[in-house]
Amino acid sequence: MQQKYLFQLKEYTARQINILNSPKQLGHCDIDSEPYLKKLGIDIFNKKQPIQFSPNVNEAIHRWAPYVQGFSASFVQSVFDQYKFDYKNPMILDPFTGCGTVQVQSKLNGYKSVGTELNPLLKFIAETKLNTWDVPPKELLKVYNKLDLSKPINAPQFLKSERQFSKAVLKNLEILKGGIDSLSKRINPKIVDLLNLAFSSILVDVSNLKRSPCLGYSKIRNVDPHAPFVLMNQKVYQIIEDLKIIQNEYSDFILTSSQVFLANCMEYNHSNKFDLVITSPPYMNGLDYVINYKIEMGWLNFVENQKELKKIKDEMVVCDNVSKGLIKNFNPIYTNDWIEEIKRSIQKNIDRRGKYRRQDMPFIVHKYFDDMYKVFKMIVPKIKNNGRLILVVGDSLIADVYVPTDLLIAQIGKDLGLYIEKIEKARNRRSGQIRSYKLRETIITLRK
Ligand SMILES: C[S@@+](CC[C@H](N)C(=O)[O-])C[C@H]1O[C@@H](n2cnc3c(N)ncnc32)[C@H](O)[C@@H]1O
């Protein structure tokens, strides 16, 4: 029988009607998590804390590159402080390195670290933030001040640069990048890396785009034509200031080993064993970590066309705009009763609605947990006895079905022999679909 809806007025779109009639309006993840928590035999404790990247803009080194998807350096430090008596000089792993927050904070504590990251731009950013601490600030300034501004390059061909930047800004970006690209091969490569990092970090700020958190066109943007030079100047001076701090206050740690591999953490076989794995995987219905950084990837020559972007994206832990072919050919190696039940409920709701933005959503959800299982399969054997795997993750609401991502990930850890030490709620979030539905971001601590 056709369900009777409260909202069927003509002026609403089908999507709006579904949202307005959703049984999840004013719902709460805590209530929908109860049956899962009961089965796991655990509770979630509140531990409110600034977990997002934003405070990093005031932290030395972390602030070199803006990265909305990162977590806060203070969160990573709080983990180190919590376990400082459990591990002496812990060896740290972040399988989803992103811009390197975990690894930079590890190095600031003198801890060795290893990371894997699939996006070559983010790998470059993390590596540059980690391995340039010995660059003499004066030398960087000298090279920067002598950039040859008479050899502009052409903006990347495959990007719609004329739409992304005003004509005057684009011209100045081409001049600046031309200056960096024409530096002599004799220049310290770490200085070239720092200048490229600085350049990449200003691109969105001088464009007609904004990241909030997905990259999209901004309605009102009137960028001063000189903004590329002004912001580049500010960034280079910020880096110089931080290098001075590091060389004065952290000189003992400059040579601490911090390795970042351009690799898929579902496949990478580490040669080390780790005391602490601290990480934040992609969120299930979250961001596209490739499209969101395509401008910087293009300008820094990490990709030359859309095909290359797609190739990187297809290897990643799945997000909800994954290519259809990948889902069609998906052969899971992991499942459990919860995943099967969630898939059935999503399918039922999609059928009832008749239309959904991705008809293959049940399989996207399944692939997410299958991918996470593959990551755990590679990592768990590399955790030392008594070591910990600490993940920050957010849950989801998909087609009116609650998906307790944190609890499902904890269950995967359990299946692979870890025990759940604690799950803490760091903050409340709102569902992107049903704004009145409360989601959460949690810290999962699993132990070997
Ligand atoms: C939530 S972000 C991590 C942010 C990080 N905590 C920080 O503070 O910068 C997740 C990262 O995982 C990367 N990623 C996704 N799938 C991956 C895979 N299979 N192997 C390695 N990295 C992957 C994405 O490119 C993204 O940078």
mmCIF file with all atom_site columns, all heavy atoms in Angstrom, residues 36-48:
data_model
loop_
_atom_site.group_PDB
_atom_site.id
_atom_site.type_symbol
_atom_site.label_atom_id
_atom_site.label_alt_id
_atom_site.label_comp_id
_atom_site.label_asym_id
_atom_site.label_entity_id
_atom_site.label_seq_id
_atom_site.pdbx_PDB_ins_code
_atom_site.Cartn_x
_atom_site.Cartn_y
_atom_site.Cartn_z
_atom_site.occupancy
_atom_site.B_iso_or_equiv
_atom_site.pdbx_formal_charge
_atom_site.auth_seq_id
_atom_site.auth_comp_id
_atom_site.auth_asym_id
_atom_site.auth_atom_id
_atom_site.pdbx_PDB_model_num
ATOM 1   N N   . TYR A 1 36 ? 22.866 -2.066 18.807 1.00 0.00 ? 36 TYR A N   1
ATOM 2   C CA  . TYR A 1 36 ? 24.242 -2.458 18.455 1.00 0.00 ? 36 TYR A CA  1
ATOM 3   C C   . TYR A 1 36 ? 25.130 -2.470 19.696 1.00 0.00 ? 36 TYR A C   1
ATOM 4   O O   . TYR A 1 36 ? 25.933 -3.372 19.891 1.00 0.00 ? 36 TYR A O   1
ATOM 5   C CB  . TYR A 1 36 ? 24.829 -1.478 17.424 1.00 0.00 ? 36 TYR A CB  1
ATOM 6   C CG  . TYR A 1 36 ? 24.097 -1.442 16.113 1.00 0.00 ? 36 TYR A CG  1
ATOM 7   C CD1 . TYR A 1 36 ? 23.125 -0.483 15.847 1.00 0.00 ? 36 TYR A CD1 1
ATOM 8   C CD2 . TYR A 1 36 ? 24.381 -2.365 15.113 1.00 0.00 ? 36 TYR A CD2 1
ATOM 9   C CE1 . TYR A 1 36 ? 22.464 -0.438 14.628 1.00 0.00 ? 36 TYR A CE1 1
ATOM 10  C CE2 . TYR A 1 36 ? 23.730 -2.342 13.887 1.00 0.00 ? 36 TYR A CE2 1
ATOM 11  C CZ  . TYR A 1 36 ? 22.762 -1.366 13.652 1.00 0.00 ? 36 TYR A CZ  1
ATOM 12  O OH  . TYR A 1 36 ? 22.113 -1.340 12.454 1.00 0.00 ? 36 TYR A OH  1
ATOM 13  N N   . LEU A 1 37 ? 24.947 -1.434 20.531 1.00 0.00 ? 37 LEU A N   1
ATOM 14  C CA  . LEU A 1 37 ? 25.780 -1.340 21.730 1.00 0.00 ? 37 LEU A CA  1
ATOM 15  C C   . LEU A 1 37 ? 25.514 -2.520 22.670 1.00 0.00 ? 37 LEU A C   1
ATOM 16  O O   . LEU A 1 37 ? 26.423 -3.070 23.287 1.00 0.00 ? 37 LEU A O   1
ATOM 17  C CB  . LEU A 1 37 ? 25.504 -0.016 22.459 1.00 0.00 ? 37 LEU A CB  1
ATOM 18  C CG  . LEU A 1 37 ? 26.061 1.223  21.758 1.00 0.00 ? 37 LEU A CG  1
ATOM 19  C CD1 . LEU A 1 37 ? 25.521 2.494  22.392 1.00 0.00 ? 37 LEU A CD1 1
ATOM 20  C CD2 . LEU A 1 37 ? 27.590 1.227  21.814 1.00 0.00 ? 37 LEU A CD2 1
ATOM 21  N N   . LYS A 1 38 ? 24.234 -2.879 22.731 1.00 0.00 ? 38 LYS A N   1
ATOM 22  C CA  . LYS A 1 38 ? 23.841 -4.007 23.579 1.00 0.00 ? 38 LYS A CA  1
ATOM 23  C C   . LYS A 1 38 ? 24.567 -5.267 23.137 1.00 0.00 ? 38 LYS A C   1
ATOM 24  O O   . LYS A 1 38 ? 25.123 -6.000 23.951 1.00 0.00 ? 38 LYS A O   1
ATOM 25  C CB  . LYS A 1 38 ? 22.326 -4.197 23.453 1.00 0.00 ? 38 LYS A CB  1
ATOM 26  C CG  . LYS A 1 38 ? 21.650 -4.538 24.760 1.00 0.00 ? 38 LYS A CG  1
ATOM 27  C CD  . LYS A 1 38 ? 20.183 -4.445 24.553 1.00 0.00 ? 38 LYS A CD  1
ATOM 28  C CE  . LYS A 1 38 ? 19.440 -5.069 25.706 1.00 0.00 ? 38 LYS A CE  1
ATOM 29  N NZ  . LYS A 1 38 ? 18.017 -4.984 25.469 1.00 0.00 ? 38 LYS A NZ  1
ATOM 30  N N   . LYS A 1 39 ? 24.578 -5.477 21.821 1.00 0.00 ? 39 LYS A N   1
ATOM 31  C CA  . LYS A 1 39 ? 25.235 -6.694 21.295 1.00 0.00 ? 39 LYS A CA  1
ATOM 32  C C   . LYS A 1 39 ? 26.731 -6.657 21.531 1.00 0.00 ? 39 LYS A C   1
ATOM 33  O O   . LYS A 1 39 ? 27.358 -7.676 21.796 1.00 0.00 ? 39 LYS A O   1
ATOM 34  C CB  . LYS A 1 39 ? 24.937 -6.852 19.808 1.00 0.00 ? 39 LYS A CB  1
ATOM 35  C CG  . LYS A 1 39 ? 23.583 -7.469 19.575 1.00 0.00 ? 39 LYS A CG  1
ATOM 36  C CD  . LYS A 1 39 ? 23.539 -8.170 18.220 1.00 0.00 ? 39 LYS A CD  1
ATOM 37  C CE  . LYS A 1 39 ? 22.147 -8.761 18.008 1.00 0.00 ? 39 LYS A CE  1
ATOM 38  N NZ  . LYS A 1 39 ? 21.669 -8.620 16.652 1.00 0.00 ? 39 LYS A NZ  1
ATOM 39  N N   . LEU A 1 40 ? 27.319 -5.456 21.433 1.00 0.00 ? 40 LEU A N   1
ATOM 40  C CA  . LEU A 1 40 ? 28.774 -5.355 21.647 1.00 0.00 ? 40 LEU A CA  1
ATOM 41  C C   . LEU A 1 40 ? 29.104 -5.382 23.139 1.00 0.00 ? 40 LEU A C   1
ATOM 42  O O   . LEU A 1 40 ? 30.249 -5.612 23.529 1.00 0.00 ? 40 LEU A O   1
ATOM 43  C CB  . LEU A 1 40 ? 29.311 -4.053 21.042 1.00 0.00 ? 40 LEU A CB  1
ATOM 44  C CG  . LEU A 1 40 ? 29.528 -3.995 19.526 1.00 0.00 ? 40 LEU A CG  1
ATOM 45  C CD1 . LEU A 1 40 ? 29.926 -2.589 19.103 1.00 0.00 ? 40 LEU A CD1 1
ATOM 46  C CD2 . LEU A 1 40 ? 30.614 -4.973 19.070 1.00 0.00 ? 40 LEU A CD2 1
ATOM 47  N N   . GLY A 1 41 ? 28.096 -5.089 23.964 1.00 0.00 ? 41 GLY A N   1
ATOM 48  C CA  . GLY A 1 41 ? 28.303 -5.063 25.419 1.00 0.00 ? 41 GLY A CA  1
ATOM 49  C C   . GLY A 1 41 ? 29.153 -3.886 25.866 1.00 0.00 ? 41 GLY A C   1
ATOM 50  O O   . GLY A 1 41 ? 29.963 -4.006 26.791 1.00 0.00 ? 41 GLY A O   1
ATOM 51  N N   . ILE A 1 42 ? 28.988 -2.746 25.207 1.00 0.00 ? 42 ILE A N   1
ATOM 52  C CA  . ILE A 1 42 ? 29.771 -1.559 25.580 1.00 0.00 ? 42 ILE A CA  1
ATOM 53  C C   . ILE A 1 42 ? 28.874 -0.318 25.625 1.00 0.00 ? 42 ILE A C   1
ATOM 54  O O   . ILE A 1 42 ? 27.739 -0.344 25.137 1.00 0.00 ? 42 ILE A O   1
ATOM 55  C CB  . ILE A 1 42 ? 30.924 -1.269 24.592 1.00 0.00 ? 42 ILE A CB  1
ATOM 56  C CG1 . ILE A 1 42 ? 30.373 -1.189 23.149 1.00 0.00 ? 42 ILE A CG1 1
ATOM 57  C CG2 . ILE A 1 42 ? 32.018 -2.292 24.677 1.00 0.00 ? 42 ILE A CG2 1
ATOM 58  C CD1 . ILE A 1 42 ? 31.303 -0.472 22.216 1.00 0.00 ? 42 ILE A CD1 1
ATOM 59  N N   . ASP A 1 43 ? 29.406 0.762  26.207 1.00 0.00 ? 43 ASP A N   1
ATOM 60  C CA  . ASP A 1 43 ? 28.733 2.064  26.185 1.00 0.00 ? 43 ASP A CA  1
ATOM 61  C C   . ASP A 1 43 ? 29.634 3.052  25.462 1.00 0.00 ? 43 ASP A C   1
ATOM 62  O O   . ASP A 1 43 ? 30.840 2.836  25.354 1.00 0.00 ? 43 ASP A O   1
ATOM 63  C CB  . ASP A 1 43 ? 28.523 2.575  27.617 1.00 0.00 ? 43 ASP A CB  1
ATOM 64  C CG  . ASP A 1 43 ? 27.383 1.832  28.283 1.00 0.00 ? 43 ASP A CG  1
ATOM 65  O OD1 . ASP A 1 43 ? 26.367 1.570  27.607 1.00 0.00 ? 43 ASP A OD1 1
ATOM 66  O OD2 . ASP A 1 43 ? 27.523 1.504  29.483 1.00 0.00 ? 43 ASP A OD2 1
ATOM 67  N N   . ILE A 1 44 ? 29.019 4.152  25.017 1.00 0.00 ? 44 ILE A N   1
ATOM 68  C CA  . ILE A 1 44 ? 29.842 5.225  24.438 1.00 0.00 ? 44 ILE A CA  1
ATOM 69  C C   . ILE A 1 44 ? 29.912 6.343  25.471 1.00 0.00 ? 44 ILE A C   1
ATOM 70  O O   . ILE A 1 44 ? 28.887 6.773  26.002 1.00 0.00 ? 44 ILE A O   1
ATOM 71  C CB  . ILE A 1 44 ? 29.219 5.750  23.126 1.00 0.00 ? 44 ILE A CB  1
ATOM 72  C CG1 . ILE A 1 44 ? 29.215 4.633  22.081 1.00 0.00 ? 44 ILE A CG1 1
ATOM 73  C CG2 . ILE A 1 44 ? 29.982 6.960  22.604 1.00 0.00 ? 44 ILE A CG2 1
ATOM 74  C CD1 . ILE A 1 44 ? 28.610 5.010  20.745 1.00 0.00 ? 44 ILE A CD1 1
ATOM 75  N N   . PHE A 1 45 ? 31.121 6.795  25.775 1.00 0.00 ? 45 PHE A N   1
ATOM 76  C CA  . PHE A 1 45 ? 31.283 7.878  26.752 1.00 0.00 ? 45 PHE A CA  1
ATOM 77  C C   . PHE A 1 45 ? 31.495 9.201  26.039 1.00 0.00 ? 45 PHE A C   1
ATOM 78  O O   . PHE A 1 45 ? 32.069 9.235  24.949 1.00 0.00 ? 45 PHE A O   1
ATOM 79  C CB  . PHE A 1 45 ? 32.476 7.580  27.671 1.00 0.00 ? 45 PHE A CB  1
ATOM 80  C CG  . PHE A 1 45 ? 32.248 6.347  28.499 1.00 0.00 ? 45 PHE A CG  1
ATOM 81  C CD1 . PHE A 1 45 ? 32.793 5.126  28.113 1.00 0.00 ? 45 PHE A CD1 1
ATOM 82  C CD2 . PHE A 1 45 ? 31.453 6.394  29.632 1.00 0.00 ? 45 PHE A CD2 1
ATOM 83  C CE1 . PHE A 1 45 ? 32.549 3.970  28.846 1.00 0.00 ? 45 PHE A CE1 1
ATOM 84  C CE2 . PHE A 1 45 ? 31.206 5.243  30.380 1.00 0.00 ? 45 PHE A CE2 1
ATOM 85  C CZ  . PHE A 1 45 ? 31.761 4.031  29.984 1.00 0.00 ? 45 PHE A CZ  1
ATOM 86  N N   . ASN A 1 46 ? 31.050 10.272 26.681 1.00 0.00 ? 46 ASN A N   1
ATOM 87  C CA  . ASN A 1 46 ? 31.248 11.594 26.089 1.00 0.00 ? 46 ASN A CA  1
ATOM 88  C C   . ASN A 1 46 ? 32.647 12.097 26.406 1.00 0.00 ? 46 ASN A C   1
ATOM 89  O O   . ASN A 1 46 ? 33.074 12.051 27.555 1.00 0.00 ? 46 ASN A O   1
ATOM 90  C CB  . ASN A 1 46 ? 30.232 12.595 26.648 1.00 0.00 ? 46 ASN A CB  1
ATOM 91  C CG  . ASN A 1 46 ? 28.893 12.401 25.979 1.00 0.00 ? 46 ASN A CG  1
ATOM 92  O OD1 . ASN A 1 46 ? 28.823 12.127 24.778 1.00 0.00 ? 46 ASN A OD1 1
ATOM 93  N ND2 . ASN A 1 46 ? 27.833 12.518 26.742 1.00 0.00 ? 46 ASN A ND2 1
ATOM 94  N N   . LYS A 1 47 ? 33.346 12.539 25.397 1.00 0.00 ? 47 LYS A N   1
ATOM 95  C CA  . LYS A 1 47 ? 34.640 13.175 25.640 1.00 0.00 ? 47 LYS A CA  1
ATOM 96  C C   . LYS A 1 47 ? 34.776 14.308 24.632 1.00 0.00 ? 47 LYS A C   1
ATOM 97  O O   . LYS A 1 47 ? 35.484 14.199 23.631 1.00 0.00 ? 47 LYS A O   1
ATOM 98  C CB  . LYS A 1 47 ? 35.775 12.173 25.492 1.00 0.00 ? 47 LYS A CB  1
ATOM 99  C CG  . LYS A 1 47 ? 37.045 12.700 26.117 1.00 0.00 ? 47 LYS A CG  1
ATOM 100 C CD  . LYS A 1 47 ? 38.169 11.731 26.036 1.00 0.00 ? 47 LYS A CD  1
ATOM 101 C CE  . LYS A 1 47 ? 39.417 12.319 26.671 1.00 0.00 ? 47 LYS A CE  1
ATOM 102 N NZ  . LYS A 1 47 ? 40.612 11.580 26.307 1.00 0.00 ? 47 LYS A NZ  1
ATOM 103 N N   . LYS A 1 48 ? 34.024 15.365 24.915 1.00 0.00 ? 48 LYS A N   1
ATOM 104 C CA  . LYS A 1 48 ? 33.994 16.492 23.975 1.00 0.00 ? 48 LYS A CA  1
ATOM 105 C C   . LYS A 1 48 ? 35.380 17.095 23.817 1.00 0.00 ? 48 LYS A C   1
ATOM 106 O O   . LYS A 1 48 ? 36.066 17.338 24.821 1.00 0.00 ? 48 LYS A O   1
ATOM 107 C CB  . LYS A 1 48 ? 33.040 17.555 24.507 1.00 0.00 ? 48 LYS A CB  1
ATOM 108 C CG  . LYS A 1 48 ? 31.737 17.590 23.763 1.00 0.00 ? 48 LYS A CG  1
ATOM 109 C CD  . LYS A 1 48 ? 30.946 18.787 24.145 1.00 0.00 ? 48 LYS A CD  1
ATOM 110 C CE  . LYS A 1 48 ? 30.007 19.107 23.019 1.00 0.00 ? 48 LYS A CE  1
ATOM 111 N NZ  . LYS A 1 48 ? 29.198 20.244 23.261 1.00 0.00 ? 48 LYS A NZ  1
#
